[in-house]
Amino acid sequence: MTEGALHAGVVLALALLWDALLGEPPTRVHPVVWMGRLQRALRRRAPRAPLPAFLWGTLMALLGPLVFGGGAWLLLHVLTPVPALRFVVEVYLFKSAFAVRALAEAGLSVERALEAGDLAGARQGLRSLVSRDTSALTPPLLSAAAVESVAENTSDSAVAPILFFALGGVPAALAYRAANTLDALVGYRGEYEWLGKAGARLDDLLNLVPARLTAALLVLVAPLGRASVLGALRCWWRDGARTESPNAGRPMAAVAGALGVQLEKVGHYRLGAEGRLPGSGDIARTVRLMVAASLLGALTSLLLVFLLRGG
């Protein structure tokens, strides 16, 4: 085992431990918050006409990964003469790129509100997970939206950044997170259709492998959530491509099949149509699957680190 592989493995392990024990860094010093502020500032200055908006959006899509991925590389390079400080900064920056604990807490807050019959609280909690209007969602649709978001973000907020870390270290993880953050903020429908096209396509490209890996991991951990491996495989195969996104439906369909529930975004898609309507308890089961798949994804990424850097 080379020193580089051992170093990357320790950074990965400590970042996971940080996430489990401490959760997210304070907002004022959180790199992902800075990513959002940069892109919102650029969005405010965006032109409205289609072609200028598309070109401005292309600039936004390139600038985020360059600023944060390149900035991380430069900062770590500058800190090379101070190994202890460099190591702490490396763990901190990598931790900021993924959010397993925060995702679990967000999902469980919706579950608790639904269990208490607090629909207003459930809708409020769901706003931290989805961008859609939650004001008219019934309890089954609130549960479905929470399950969908936790499933999709198993890739976006956990498996994907950890995988990019294995491939290219902290700079790659932050570059991925910057691209993903832009897509979440702008999208490519409605008011920002032309502005968001480049960012959405970049995010689609970066998530082609992670989304499918995440679906496979969710299939493998299904028994830990008292869920069906065969159901997950069957629904992933049949319904994984039914969402508008080429990637989001893969982990969502795997979870729908594993739990035996139907996940519907009215007017857009229905995954696992033969399943029952989801309840609040399915959110907690999805959170368990998410945590297990994230940890298995971390082990997979650790193996990849040793293969790529083990010498």
Side-chain angles (χ1 to χ4, degrees), residues 35 62-78 93 168 170-176 178:
M35 293 171 190
L62 296 174
L63 194 60
L66 286 174
V67 167
F68 289 95
W73 178 88
L74 180 60
L75 177 59
L76 294 175
H77 179 72
V78 168
L93 291 177
V170 170
L174 284 180
Y176 164 79

Side-chain angles (χ1 to χ4, degrees), residues 9 22 25 40 49 70 75 79 92 94 109 142 155 158 161-162 180-181 215 228 249 291 299 310:
L22 302 176
R40 287 188 184 95
L75 177 59
L79 293 177
Y92 176 80
F94 177 41
S109 72
L142 287 167
S155 177
I162 293 172
N180 184 251
T181 299
S228 169
V291 172
L299 289 174

Side-chain angles (χ1 to χ4, degrees), residues 213-263:
L213 172 61
T214 300
L217 295 171
L218 288 165
V219 170
L220 290 174
V221 302
L224 299 179
R226 295 177 288 107
S228 169
V229 170
L230 291 178
L233 279 171
R234 183 168 55 249
C235 193
W236 173 20
W237 178 262
R238 188 192 64 204
D239 294 347
R242 291 191 175 180
T243 59
E244 189 172 20
S245 163
N247 301 313
R250 315 296 169 160
M252 288 162 51
V255 167
L259 300 182
V261 299
Q262 58 177 269
L263 301 178

Side-chain angles (χ1 to χ4, degrees), residues 157-172:
S157 297
V159 173
I162 293 172
L163 179 62
F164 275 95
F165 169 78
L167 295 172
V170 170

